[in-house]
Amino acid sequence: MKLSSTTRLERLKDRYQQGDLDRRRFLGLTAAAAASAGIFLPWGNKALAQVKNVRFDGWGGTVQEAMDKYAFQPYTAKTSISVVQGTFGDETEIIAKAKTSAPGDFQIVHSSGVEYYVRYVNSGLTSEINEANIPNMANVMQAMIDPFRKITPKLSAVPYNYGTTGIAYNTTVISPEEAAAKGAALLTDPAYKGKIGGYDSMTTRVWYGALGSGQDPNNIQDIEAVWAKVREQRDLAKKFWASGAELMDLLSKGEIVVSEAWSGRVAALQQQGHPIGYIDPPGSYAWMEDLLVLKGSPMAECEELINFMLDVETSIAVSEGQSYPPSLDPTKVELTDKIKAMPAFDPTGKMESLTFADPIYWAEHETDWAKQWDRIAKGA
Amino acid sequence: MTADRLPATAKRGWSLYDPRLAWLLVAPAALLLICFMILPIVVMGIYTFYTFVTAGVEEASLTVANWHEFFTDSYYHGFLLKTLRVGMVTALICAVVGYFPAYFIWATAFRQKWLLLLLLIVPFWISFTIRTFSWIHILGEQGLINVWAMKLGLIEAPMQMLYTEGAVIMGLLHFLLPYMILNIYVSLEGIDRTLVQAARSMGCTNAQAFREVTLPLSLPGLAAGLMLCFVLAAGSYVTPQLLGSGRDALFGNLIYDTIMGQLNWPMGATLSIVLFFILGSVAAIYTRFMGMSQIVKGLGG
């Protein structure tokens, strides 16, 4: 029979009172029990206690506000489980934090799709989701799930939304016709020297460097030509932004007039009335975002939250709030006109019109290219 | 009464100046220092010999590849020299700009001197990051200076002030000047004022009295301020990140990018140990010649 700590201590007390134990031995055993309970409790309680909150880390700004308003708050009202939120500017931050934390400290991450999924897998930070607990996954586009399943047959993440990193421009300075005609070349147009911005991210820099040098970003033949293009933009740029909030600030204040930009953030600026246009040049960088469950998370609660977020009504509300199309399959679910009008929206549900990064190809070069971009950014 | 004549109970008890008591009192602080400073540095030192595999993945197989890369790659040396240069320039400007307010506070006959000292401390009540961000609204294209200069017709197009090395040094000055002023002020406060009067009575002009008496006697505070400002400036990361462009990065930014961006912890640890060693050496040299007491006095206000 397994005795509880309380029963053991009660028996100890009885033996002491009946004279079986002397006072010194009784106090010694009680102290040892208290010490072991004290050591156990911080972790033991965490594991045994009922989960009262789930940790979520995302990109902040308008994207996370939409999630909070349309998904997290209704979820908390329904289940009494609160969603504790954190934000990051670059996803490598959260990988570094998760690596240095105890499993379970960070739980769900609004992750940047398959390229980053590989990094989590390599770092041993992924979990295994029980898909049976997420019935709403049936509505998610198969074309979005497949790339993840190729990396890990048992998923640790569920695709949630997608978008593009196209080109945003100030319409009071650059006409839509000029933007359409120049495309990616706008980012290296000397006419806008000192008013050009860019995302401080190796993937975006190399992607647009490849487009600028006429190469396929998923099969770069001449990387030196790409770096030359990256340097060209660096010398013309005013600032490489590090977060969506900074991008919106730079564009709305007129500090920069052209930059690569996240489609949803530009849509948010347009809704706020700023004179900002947006184009996806040929080969524009498309990406998908997923809800990634990290190792050590309370799986049942995380799966329940993800299922709630994938509910058609919730997903559409979040999508409209953050201005990114949802991962819901438009051939299975009737989406709103607002979503259908969003940049990058794919009505076929097959994602064939969008160019995503090949995760294997990019993972092979990631280390060297990240290092090189860091150096170029600092003037090398 | 000698020790061997003390009663047995008194021998066993602890006196006020018993070394055992001193060790006991210092033990909590020493333990904290060991756990939260010495051990992490040792761990980081070991990490410098780990093998980097790919972003976020390293192996415990020992290698000197990280140190080899540091010693042979001029990219790191360039940034190290630049960081030392920016640190020195910032510290020198702090010294020149900071001496006058410190001297004024010391010399003024204003009765509410505490108010002037309070003004020095007030900036510390506001978050360092917010104070740094405020420069964006002053130096930016739509910032205070450009907007007013254009309104007054002084310039036709906005000047590029933000995201430059000048902006970084300005932000560092804003952050470090109070440290310099307090150090110099504390040093000045320690000067016996009758020495100045004596110099004057022996025929020195005010300027000579300052040059021959006040300035030399305040040098320890000035040196402590220089050391503190240099070390803090050279180790800074947030200010160049917010006010500088990529080219204006300092060594701290290299460490951040290597650890958080490239997820290359062994190399990041190597760069951290290098910066720690260099700045630690500066502090050690200063302590060897000047002693730590001046800094402690300065920090204590």
Side-chain angles (χ1 to χ4, degrees), chain A residues 92 99 235 371 375 378, chain B residues 58 69 73 247 257 260:
Chain A
T92 50
K99 269 189 74 177
D235 294 340
K371 192 172 178 180
R375 291 178 175 225
K378 291 176 179 60
Chain B
E58 55 275 330
E69 182 175 338
D73 194 335
R247 292 171 192 269
D257 289 343
M260 300 295 276

Side-chain angles (χ1 to χ4, degrees), chain B residues 25-284:
Chain B
L25 290 173
V26 87
L31 200 67
L32 282 175
L33 270 178
I34 290 168
C35 290
F36 297 111
M37 202 179 100
I38 309 289
L39 274 180
I41 291 170
V42 170
V43 170
M44 205 177 272
I46 295 168
Y47 236 84
T48 64
F49 297 103
Y50 273 32
T51 304
F52 174 65
V53 180
T54 183
V57 184
E58 55 275 330
E59 283 176 358
S61 53
L62 301 184
T63 173
V64 291
N66 302 306
W67 286 104
H68 182 261
E69 182 175 338
F70 171 74
F71 283 116
T72 55
D73 194 335
S74 60
Y75 170 76
Y76 298 119
H77 309 157
F79 269 95
L80 198 54
L81 290 175
K82 181 186 177 186
T83 301
L84 299 179
R85 178 177 57 78
V86 169
M88 278 193 275
V89 168
T90 306
L92 284 173
I93 297 176
C94 276
V96 173
V97 177
Y99 200 95
F100 299 104
Y103 186 83
F104 172 77
I105 296 170
W106 174 67
T108 183
F110 182 50
R111 288 183 177 213
Q112 312 298 330
K113 200 178 270 190
W114 64 271
L115 203 61
L116 299 175
L117 289 169
L118 186 71
L119 284 175
L120 278 181
I121 300 165
V122 164
F124 291 109
W125 296 353
I126 303 164
S127 154
F128 165 64
T129 311
I130 291 171
R131 274 186 284 148
T132 308
F133 260 120
S134 68
W135 283 103
I136 294 174
H137 297 282
I138 296 169
L139 302 174
E141 288 208 358
Q142 306 294 321
L144 198 70
I145 296 174
N146 270 320
V147 166
W148 277 102
M150 286 174 74
K151 270 187 183 172
L152 294 171
L154 300 174
I155 51 171
E156 286 183 356
M159 294 179 288
Q160 170 80 41
M161 292 181 286
L162 200 58
Y163 311 129
T164 60
E165 189 175 297
V168 173
I169 291 176
M170 180 72 85
L172 290 171
L173 284 177
H174 182 197
F175 154 51
L176 296 170
L177 209 48
Y179 291 101
M180 177 61 84
I181 296 174
L182 283 173
N183 266 291
I184 298 171
Y185 171 74
V186 169
S187 192
L188 287 169
E189 269 295 300
I191 297 174
D192 183 350
R193 288 175 193 246
T194 56
L195 291 175
V196 181
Q197 288 164 2
R200 289 284 288 125
S201 69
M202 292 175 81
C204 280
T205 62
N206 273 333
Q208 282 172 323
F210 173 78
R211 199 175 62 241
E212 301 296 334
V213 179
T214 313
L215 185 61
L217 289 176
S218 65
L219 279 182
L222 195 63
L226 277 169
M227 199 280 283
L228 207 60
C229 291
F230 169 75
V231 169
L232 290 174
S236 69
Y237 146 76
V238 174
T239 310
Q241 184 75 14
L242 294 181
L243 301 180
S245 69
R247 292 171 192 269
D248 307 312
L250 299 183
F251 208 71
N253 302 91
L254 247 65
I255 295 172
Y256 178 86
D257 289 343
T258 309
I259 292 177
M260 300 295 276
Q262 299 169 26
L263 295 175
N264 184 347
W265 289 14
M267 194 62 213
T270 309
L271 299 179
S272 304
I273 292 289
V274 167
L275 192 61
F276 169 76
F277 180 77
I278 289 174
L279 298 185
S281 301
V282 172

Side-chain angles (χ1 to χ4, degrees), chain A residues 52 95 97 100 137 155 183 203 212 237 269 305 312 330-331:
Chain A
K52 291 188 177 144
I95 297 176
K97 285 178 183 173
T100 50
M137 268 185 81
L155 296 176
T203 312
L269 280 173
L305 174 60
V312 172
T331 62

Side-chain angles (χ1 to χ4, degrees), chain A residues 153-203:
Chain A
K154 291 209 169 197
L155 296 176
S156 176
V158 178
Y160 194 63
N161 57 279
Y162 62 100
T164 51
T165 301
I167 295 172
Y169 57 95
N170 190 317
T171 53
T172 60
V173 180
I174 299 166
S175 68
E177 294 74 26
E178 182 185 352
K182 291 183 177 170
L186 257 183
L187 298 167
T188 48
D189 190 336
Y192 303 113
K193 183 175 183 179
K195 304 294 277 181
I196 295 171
Y199 182 25
D200 184 7
S201 148
M202 177 276 289
T203 312

Side-chain angles (χ1 to χ4, degrees), chain A residues 104-176:
Chain A
D105 281 357
F106 293 91
Q107 298 171 353
I108 301 180
V109 179
H110 192 199
S111 175
S112 302
V114 191
E115 306 100 274
Y116 273 86
Y117 191 63
V118 174
R119 296 194 197 182
Y120 287 97
V121 172
N122 288 341
S123 301
L125 293 169
T126 46
S127 63
E128 282 188 6
I129 285 174
N130 181 357
E131 292 177 40
N133 289 340
I134 312 177
N136 285 329
M137 268 185 81
N139 289 329
V140 175
M141 282 183 264
Q142 202 57 43
M144 286 183 81
I145 294 176
D146 287 344
F148 289 90
R149 213 183 284 286
K150 272 185 195 169
I151 298 166
T152 58
K154 291 209 169 197
L155 296 176
S156 176
V158 178
Y160 194 63
N161 57 279
Y162 62 100
T164 51
T165 301
I167 295 172
Y169 57 95
N170 190 317
T171 53
T172 60
V173 180
I174 299 166
S175 68

